[in-house]
mmCIF file of all heavy atoms in Angstrom:
data_model
loop_
_atom_site.group_PDB
_atom_site.id
_atom_site.type_symbol
_atom_site.label_atom_id
_atom_site.label_comp_id
_atom_site.label_asym_id
_atom_site.label_seq_id
_atom_site.Cartn_x
_atom_site.Cartn_y
_atom_site.Cartn_z
ATOM 1 N N GLU A 1 0.770 -1.109 0.001
ATOM 2 C CA GLU A 1 0.058 0.019 0.008
ATOM 3 C C GLU A 1 0.855 1.320 0.064
ATOM 4 O O GLU A 1 0.628 2.154 -0.881
ATOM 5 C CB GLU A 1 -0.959 0.012 1.193
ATOM 6 C CG GLU A 1 -1.920 1.158 1.279
ATOM 7 C CD GLU A 1 -2.851 1.211 0.164
ATOM 8 O OE1 GLU A 1 -3.118 0.075 -0.537
ATOM 9 O OE2 GLU A 1 -3.406 2.344 -0.101
ATOM 10 N N THR A 2 1.771 1.335 0.906
ATOM 11 C CA THR A 2 2.605 2.592 1.057
ATOM 12 C C THR A 2 3.625 2.652 -0.065
ATOM 13 O O THR A 2 3.909 3.705 -0.642
ATOM 14 C CB THR A 2 3.260 2.626 2.343
ATOM 15 O OG1 THR A 2 4.000 1.505 2.744
ATOM 16 C CG2 THR A 2 2.266 2.815 3.466
ATOM 17 N N GLY A 3 4.173 1.515 -0.384
ATOM 18 C CA GLY A 3 5.265 1.481 -1.471
ATOM 19 C C GLY A 3 4.648 1.783 -2.831
ATOM 20 O O GLY A 3 5.430 2.495 -3.639
ATOM 21 N N SER A 4 3.504 1.402 -3.075
ATOM 22 C CA SER A 4 2.928 1.778 -4.400
ATOM 23 C C SER A 4 2.641 3.367 -4.498
ATOM 24 O O SER A 4 2.801 3.832 -5.657
ATOM 25 C CB SER A 4 1.469 1.156 -4.632
ATOM 26 O OG SER A 4 1.703 -0.342 -4.551
ATOM 27 N N HIS A 5 2.222 3.950 -3.400
ATOM 28 C CA HIS A 5 2.057 5.385 -3.409
ATOM 29 C C HIS A 5 3.450 6.098 -3.689
ATOM 30 O O HIS A 5 3.520 6.995 -4.380
ATOM 31 C CB HIS A 5 1.561 5.871 -2.033
ATOM 32 C CG HIS A 5 0.151 5.418 -1.740
ATOM 33 N ND1 HIS A 5 -0.524 5.807 -0.558
ATOM 34 C CD2 HIS A 5 -0.675 4.852 -2.521
ATOM 35 C CE1 HIS A 5 -1.763 5.272 -0.674
ATOM 36 N NE2 HIS A 5 -1.931 4.643 -1.912
ATOM 37 N N ILE A 6 4.324 5.595 -3.031
ATOM 38 C CA ILE A 6 5.886 6.201 -3.240
ATOM 39 C C ILE A 6 6.245 6.097 -4.697
ATOM 40 O O ILE A 6 6.770 7.065 -5.333
ATOM 41 C CB ILE A 6 6.794 5.439 -2.301
ATOM 42 C CG1 ILE A 6 6.475 5.768 -0.809
ATOM 43 C CG2 ILE A 6 8.210 5.791 -2.598
ATOM 44 C CD1 ILE A 6 7.150 5.001 0.220
ATOM 45 N N ILE A 7 6.114 4.895 -5.299
ATOM 46 C CA ILE A 7 6.611 4.652 -6.637
ATOM 47 C C ILE A 7 5.830 5.602 -7.659
ATOM 48 O O ILE A 7 6.422 6.167 -8.506
ATOM 49 C CB ILE A 7 6.534 3.208 -7.078
ATOM 50 C CG1 ILE A 7 7.542 2.388 -6.220
ATOM 51 C CG2 ILE A 7 6.774 3.018 -8.520
ATOM 52 C CD1 ILE A 7 7.211 0.908 -6.265
ATOM 53 N N ALA A 8 4.517 5.673 -7.405
ATOM 54 C CA ALA A 8 3.698 6.442 -8.320
ATOM 55 C C ALA A 8 4.024 7.829 -8.244
ATOM 56 O O ALA A 8 4.112 8.574 -9.289
ATOM 57 C CB ALA A 8 2.146 6.261 -7.976
ATOM 58 N N MET A 9 4.259 8.461 -6.995
ATOM 59 C CA MET A 9 4.661 9.696 -6.852
ATOM 60 C C MET A 9 6.018 10.093 -7.380
ATOM 61 O O MET A 9 6.231 11.089 -7.987
ATOM 62 C CB MET A 9 4.515 10.218 -5.422
ATOM 63 C CG MET A 9 4.860 11.602 -5.050
ATOM 64 S SD MET A 9 3.782 12.855 -5.953
ATOM 65 C CE MET A 9 2.500 12.834 -4.720
ATOM 66 N N ARG A 10 6.952 9.198 -7.211
ATOM 67 C CA ARG A 10 8.324 9.415 -7.851
ATOM 68 C C ARG A 10 8.150 9.461 -9.275
ATOM 69 O O ARG A 10 8.784 10.308 -9.991
ATOM 70 C CB ARG A 10 9.141 8.205 -7.419
ATOM 71 C CG ARG A 10 9.701 8.306 -5.979
ATOM 72 C CD ARG A 10 10.444 6.955 -5.601
ATOM 73 N NE ARG A 10 11.070 7.049 -4.361
ATOM 74 C CZ ARG A 10 11.807 6.114 -3.704
ATOM 75 N NH1 ARG A 10 12.032 5.027 -4.357
ATOM 76 N NH2 ARG A 10 12.231 6.259 -2.515
ATOM 77 N N ALA A 11 7.403 8.583 -9.943
ATOM 78 C CA ALA A 11 7.235 8.591 -11.414
ATOM 79 C C ALA A 11 6.611 9.913 -11.892
ATOM 80 O O ALA A 11 7.127 10.523 -12.915
ATOM 81 C CB ALA A 11 6.498 7.456 -11.947
ATOM 82 N N LYS A 12 5.739 10.350 -11.210
ATOM 83 C CA LYS A 12 4.915 11.653 -11.613
ATOM 84 C C LYS A 12 5.877 12.752 -11.379
ATOM 85 O O LYS A 12 5.976 13.628 -12.430
ATOM 86 C CB LYS A 12 3.653 11.830 -10.771
ATOM 87 C CG LYS A 12 2.856 13.073 -11.031
ATOM 88 C CD LYS A 12 1.842 13.247 -9.939
ATOM 89 C CE LYS A 12 1.105 14.604 -10.293
ATOM 90 N NZ LYS A 12 1.860 15.740 -10.191
ATOM 91 N N ILE A 13 6.501 12.966 -10.279
ATOM 92 C CA ILE A 13 7.350 14.168 -10.042
ATOM 93 C C ILE A 13 8.604 14.151 -11.031
ATOM 94 O O ILE A 13 8.984 15.260 -11.604
ATOM 95 C CB ILE A 13 7.913 14.167 -8.603
ATOM 96 C CG1 ILE A 13 6.635 14.410 -7.679
ATOM 97 C CG2 ILE A 13 8.948 15.213 -8.375
ATOM 98 C CD1 ILE A 13 5.888 15.736 -7.906
ATOM 99 N N LEU A 14 9.170 12.937 -11.202
ATOM 100 C CA LEU A 14 10.301 12.918 -12.176
ATOM 101 C C LEU A 14 9.902 13.248 -13.579
ATOM 102 O O LEU A 14 10.761 13.824 -14.323
ATOM 103 C CB LEU A 14 10.984 11.548 -12.022
ATOM 104 C CG LEU A 14 11.765 11.155 -10.826
ATOM 105 C CD1 LEU A 14 12.111 9.717 -10.718
ATOM 106 C CD2 LEU A 14 12.986 12.034 -10.883
ATOM 107 N N ASN A 15 8.766 12.919 -14.003
ATOM 108 C CA ASN A 15 8.263 13.313 -15.254
ATOM 109 C C ASN A 15 8.202 14.681 -15.464
ATOM 110 O O ASN A 15 8.562 15.353 -16.526
ATOM 111 C CB ASN A 15 6.888 12.638 -15.557
ATOM 112 C CG ASN A 15 6.522 12.801 -16.922
ATOM 113 O OD1 ASN A 15 7.090 12.457 -18.008
ATOM 114 N ND2 ASN A 15 5.365 13.466 -17.139
ATOM 115 N N ASP A 16 7.810 15.450 -14.376
ATOM 116 C CA ASP A 16 7.685 16.910 -14.479
ATOM 117 C C ASP A 16 9.087 17.577 -14.341
ATOM 118 O O ASP A 16 9.290 18.560 -14.876
ATOM 119 C CB ASP A 16 6.790 17.442 -13.356
ATOM 120 C CG ASP A 16 5.363 16.991 -13.592
ATOM 121 O OD1 ASP A 16 5.024 16.632 -14.679
ATOM 122 O OD2 ASP A 16 4.586 16.980 -12.530
ATOM 123 N N TYR A 17 9.835 16.985 -13.533
ATOM 124 C CA TYR A 17 11.203 17.584 -13.190
ATOM 125 C C TYR A 17 12.197 17.445 -14.385
ATOM 126 O O TYR A 17 13.125 18.294 -14.505
ATOM 127 C CB TYR A 17 11.818 16.727 -12.102
ATOM 128 C CG TYR A 17 13.134 17.073 -11.664
ATOM 129 C CD1 TYR A 17 13.589 18.190 -10.879
ATOM 130 C CD2 TYR A 17 14.303 16.137 -11.936
ATOM 131 C CE1 TYR A 17 14.824 18.408 -10.493
ATOM 132 C CE2 TYR A 17 15.575 16.344 -11.601
ATOM 133 C CZ TYR A 17 15.926 17.554 -10.850
ATOM 134 O OH TYR A 17 17.256 17.762 -10.523
ATOM 135 N N ARG A 18 12.001 16.513 -15.338
ATOM 136 C CA ARG A 18 12.932 16.320 -16.366
ATOM 137 C C ARG A 18 13.229 17.529 -17.185
ATOM 138 O O ARG A 18 14.348 17.966 -17.538
ATOM 139 C CB ARG A 18 12.356 15.152 -17.298
ATOM 140 C CG ARG A 18 13.192 14.998 -18.575
ATOM 141 C CD ARG A 18 12.719 13.887 -19.393
ATOM 142 N NE ARG A 18 13.104 12.505 -18.875
ATOM 143 C CZ ARG A 18 12.328 11.711 -18.253
ATOM 144 N NH1 ARG A 18 11.022 11.927 -18.017
ATOM 145 N NH2 ARG A 18 12.737 10.522 -17.829
ATOM 146 N N ALA A 19 12.251 18.268 -17.476
ATOM 147 C CA ALA A 19 12.379 19.498 -18.332
ATOM 148 C C ALA A 19 13.140 20.529 -17.626
ATOM 149 O O ALA A 19 13.917 21.243 -18.259
ATOM 150 C CB ALA A 19 11.001 20.079 -18.690
ATOM 151 N N PHE A 20 13.072 20.698 -16.312
ATOM 152 C CA PHE A 20 13.802 21.623 -15.671
ATOM 153 C C PHE A 20 15.294 21.216 -15.529
ATOM 154 O O PHE A 20 16.162 22.053 -15.607
ATOM 155 C CB PHE A 20 13.285 21.820 -14.060
ATOM 156 C CG PHE A 20 11.920 22.308 -13.964
ATOM 157 C CD1 PHE A 20 10.765 21.663 -14.067
ATOM 158 C CD2 PHE A 20 11.788 23.744 -13.740
ATOM 159 C CE1 PHE A 20 9.532 22.209 -13.921
ATOM 160 C CE2 PHE A 20 10.607 24.399 -13.568
ATOM 161 C CZ PHE A 20 9.474 23.594 -13.683
ATOM 162 N N LEU A 21 15.623 19.885 -15.490
ATOM 163 C CA LEU A 21 17.052 19.411 -15.513
ATOM 164 C C LEU A 21 17.555 19.775 -16.902
ATOM 165 O O LEU A 21 18.732 20.406 -16.993
ATOM 166 C CB LEU A 21 17.071 18.031 -15.299
ATOM 167 C CG LEU A 21 18.443 17.257 -15.525
ATOM 168 C CD1 LEU A 21 19.430 17.878 -14.612
ATOM 169 C CD2 LEU A 21 18.352 15.811 -15.383
ATOM 170 N N GLN A 22 16.990 19.574 -17.970
ATOM 171 C CA GLN A 22 17.474 19.711 -19.342
ATOM 172 C C GLN A 22 17.650 21.249 -19.513
ATOM 173 O O GLN A 22 18.631 21.701 -20.085
ATOM 174 C CB GLN A 22 16.540 19.175 -20.284
ATOM 175 C CG GLN A 22 16.414 17.694 -20.218
ATOM 176 C CD GLN A 22 15.491 16.997 -21.169
ATOM 177 O OE1 GLN A 22 14.680 17.752 -21.850
ATOM 178 N NE2 GLN A 22 15.672 15.719 -21.300
ATOM 179 N N ASP A 23 16.781 22.134 -19.078
ATOM 180 C CA ASP A 23 16.945 23.572 -19.143
ATOM 181 C C ASP A 23 18.124 24.138 -18.290
ATOM 182 O O ASP A 23 18.859 24.873 -18.836
ATOM 183 C CB ASP A 23 15.666 24.300 -18.781
ATOM 184 C CG ASP A 23 15.692 25.876 -18.787
ATOM 185 O OD1 ASP A 23 15.807 26.273 -19.937
ATOM 186 O OD2 ASP A 23 15.632 26.412 -17.814
ATOM 187 N N ALA A 24 18.330 23.530 -17.132
ATOM 188 C CA ALA A 24 19.408 23.965 -16.247
ATOM 189 C C ALA A 24 20.700 23.595 -16.815
ATOM 190 O O ALA A 24 21.718 24.277 -16.960
ATOM 191 C CB ALA A 24 19.178 23.344 -14.896
ATOM 192 N N TYR A 25 20.787 22.383 -17.453
ATOM 193 C CA TYR A 25 22.097 21.949 -17.906
ATOM 194 C C TYR A 25 22.449 22.619 -19.183
ATOM 195 O O TYR A 25 23.562 22.996 -19.280
ATOM 196 C CB TYR A 25 21.975 20.357 -18.256
ATOM 197 C CG TYR A 25 23.278 19.734 -18.685
ATOM 198 C CD1 TYR A 25 24.096 19.198 -17.725
ATOM 199 C CD2 TYR A 25 23.620 19.775 -19.963
ATOM 200 C CE1 TYR A 25 25.365 18.704 -18.104
ATOM 201 C CE2 TYR A 25 24.832 19.229 -20.385
ATOM 202 C CZ TYR A 25 25.663 18.644 -19.473
ATOM 203 O OH TYR A 25 26.956 18.147 -19.772
ATOM 204 N N HIS A 26 21.448 22.924 -20.096
ATOM 205 C CA HIS A 26 21.695 23.761 -21.315
ATOM 206 C C HIS A 26 22.197 25.025 -20.907
ATOM 207 O O HIS A 26 23.153 25.729 -21.514
ATOM 208 C CB HIS A 26 20.624 23.652 -22.167
ATOM 209 C CG HIS A 26 20.184 22.368 -22.861
ATOM 210 N ND1 HIS A 26 19.036 22.034 -23.119
ATOM 211 C CD2 HIS A 26 21.097 21.405 -23.090
ATOM 212 C CE1 HIS A 26 18.951 20.837 -23.614
ATOM 213 N NE2 HIS A 26 20.279 20.408 -23.624
ATOM 214 N N LYS A 27 21.618 25.705 -19.734
ATOM 215 C CA LYS A 27 21.933 26.984 -19.460
ATOM 216 C C LYS A 27 23.341 27.130 -18.928
ATOM 217 O O LYS A 27 24.145 27.980 -19.207
ATOM 218 C CB LYS A 27 20.953 27.498 -18.349
ATOM 219 C CG LYS A 27 21.180 28.986 -17.951
ATOM 220 C CD LYS A 27 20.099 29.323 -16.905
ATOM 221 C CE LYS A 27 18.619 29.393 -17.576
ATOM 222 N NZ LYS A 27 17.574 29.788 -16.692
ATOM 223 N N MET A 28 23.688 26.021 -18.171
ATOM 224 C CA MET A 28 25.134 26.069 -17.510
ATOM 225 C C MET A 28 26.095 25.700 -18.595
ATOM 226 O O MET A 28 27.355 26.234 -18.593
ATOM 227 C CB MET A 28 25.058 25.175 -16.308
ATOM 228 C CG MET A 28 24.369 25.588 -15.035
ATOM 229 S SD MET A 28 25.208 27.106 -14.392
ATOM 230 C CE MET A 28 26.905 26.457 -14.021
ATOM 231 N N SER A 29 25.858 24.745 -19.405
ATOM 232 C CA SER A 29 26.843 24.120 -20.303
ATOM 233 C C SER A 29 27.029 24.957 -21.561
ATOM 234 O O SER A 29 28.171 25.023 -22.107
ATOM 235 C CB SER A 29 26.612 22.724 -20.534
ATOM 236 O OG SER A 29 25.409 22.629 -21.446
ATOM 237 N N GLY A 30 25.927 25.462 -22.113
ATOM 238 C CA GLY A 30 25.941 26.093 -23.455
ATOM 239 C C GLY A 30 26.272 25.184 -24.531
ATOM 240 O O GLY A 30 26.516 25.538 -25.651
ATOM 241 N N ILE A 31 26.018 23.763 -24.327
ATOM 242 C CA ILE A 31 26.255 22.796 -25.353
ATOM 243 C C ILE A 31 25.092 21.993 -25.563
ATOM 244 O O ILE A 31 24.059 22.041 -24.793
ATOM 245 C CB ILE A 31 27.466 21.898 -25.101
ATOM 246 C CG1 ILE A 31 27.282 21.159 -23.670
ATOM 247 C CG2 ILE A 31 28.769 22.732 -25.036
ATOM 248 C CD1 ILE A 31 28.317 20.284 -23.336
ATOM 249 N N ASP A 32 24.876 21.159 -26.716
ATOM 250 C CA ASP A 32 23.693 20.594 -27.076
ATOM 251 C C ASP A 32 23.555 19.230 -26.617
ATOM 252 O O ASP A 32 22.653 18.457 -26.920
ATOM 253 C CB ASP A 32 23.616 20.500 -28.605
ATOM 254 C CG ASP A 32 23.456 21.849 -29.273
ATOM 255 O OD1 ASP A 32 22.962 22.712 -28.560
ATOM 256 O OD2 ASP A 32 24.007 21.994 -30.357
ATOM 257 N N LEU A 33 24.404 18.676 -25.597
ATOM 258 C CA LEU A 33 24.244 17.400 -25.010
ATOM 259 C C LEU A 33 22.937 17.358 -24.189
ATOM 260 O O LEU A 33 22.594 18.334 -23.576
ATOM 261 C CB LEU A 33 25.395 16.994 -24.106
ATOM 262 C CG LEU A 33 26.727 16.845 -24.856
ATOM 263 C CD1 LEU A 33 27.792 16.408 -23.735
ATOM 264 C CD2 LEU A 33 26.611 15.643 -25.822
ATOM 265 N N VAL A 34 22.243 16.239 -24.334
ATOM 266 C CA VAL A 34 20.877 16.192 -23.678
ATOM 267 C C VAL A 34 20.994 15.339 -22.400
ATOM 268 O O VAL A 34 21.190 14.147 -22.466
ATOM 269 C CB VAL A 34 19.820 15.455 -24.654
ATOM 270 C CG1 VAL A 34 18.496 15.408 -23.919
ATOM 271 C CG2 VAL A 34 19.696 16.340 -25.859
ATOM 272 N N PRO A 35 20.812 15.929 -21.226
ATOM 273 C CA PRO A 35 20.807 15.278 -19.920
ATOM 274 C C PRO A 35 19.472 14.566 -19.897
ATOM 275 O O PRO A 35 18.482 15.113 -20.180
ATOM 276 C CB PRO A 35 21.048 16.495 -18.947
ATOM 277 C CG PRO A 35 20.367 17.581 -19.551
ATOM 278 C CD PRO A 35 20.554 17.462 -21.027
ATOM 279 N N ASP A 36 19.447 13.366 -19.170
ATOM 280 C CA ASP A 36 18.225 12.711 -18.999
ATOM 281 C C ASP A 36 18.471 11.712 -17.858
ATOM 282 O O ASP A 36 19.564 11.492 -17.205
ATOM 283 C CB ASP A 36 17.780 12.013 -20.192
ATOM 284 C CG ASP A 36 16.206 11.882 -20.339
ATOM 285 O OD1 ASP A 36 15.566 11.875 -19.172
ATOM 286 O OD2 ASP A 36 15.700 11.403 -21.353
ATOM 287 N N PHE A 37 17.442 10.868 -17.414
ATOM 288 C CA PHE A 37 17.430 9.944 -16.461
ATOM 289 C C PHE A 37 16.408 8.862 -16.736
ATOM 290 O O PHE A 37 15.393 9.159 -17.327
ATOM 291 C CB PHE A 37 17.388 10.581 -15.128
ATOM 292 C CG PHE A 37 16.152 11.404 -14.831
ATOM 293 C CD1 PHE A 37 14.905 10.836 -14.746
ATOM 294 C CD2 PHE A 37 16.259 12.773 -14.885
ATOM 295 C CE1 PHE A 37 13.798 11.593 -14.525
ATOM 296 C CE2 PHE A 37 15.162 13.670 -14.707
ATOM 297 C CZ PHE A 37 13.905 13.040 -14.489
#
């Protein structure tokens, strides 16, 4: 019960967080490599 909630929330937040990571990396690096996870 509790573990399913944790996994579902992790998946949801990470899906939203991905775009912020890619934007931050491009801003700092200035190169076209795509960060992901």
Side-chain angles (χ1 to χ4, degrees):
E1 183 65 21
T2 56
S4 298
H5 292 177
I6 290 169
I7 293 169
M9 181 61 84
R10 284 177 176 175
K12 176 184 181 301
I13 294 299
L14 285 170
N15 187 56
D16 296 339
Y17 173 77
R18 175 177 280 107
F20 289 88
L21 172 62
Q22 293 176 349
D23 181 65
Y25 188 88
H26 292 150
K27 185 176 295 184
M28 285 296 299
S29 68
I31 56 179
D32 292 332
L33 293 179
V34 178
D36 207 346
F37 51 78

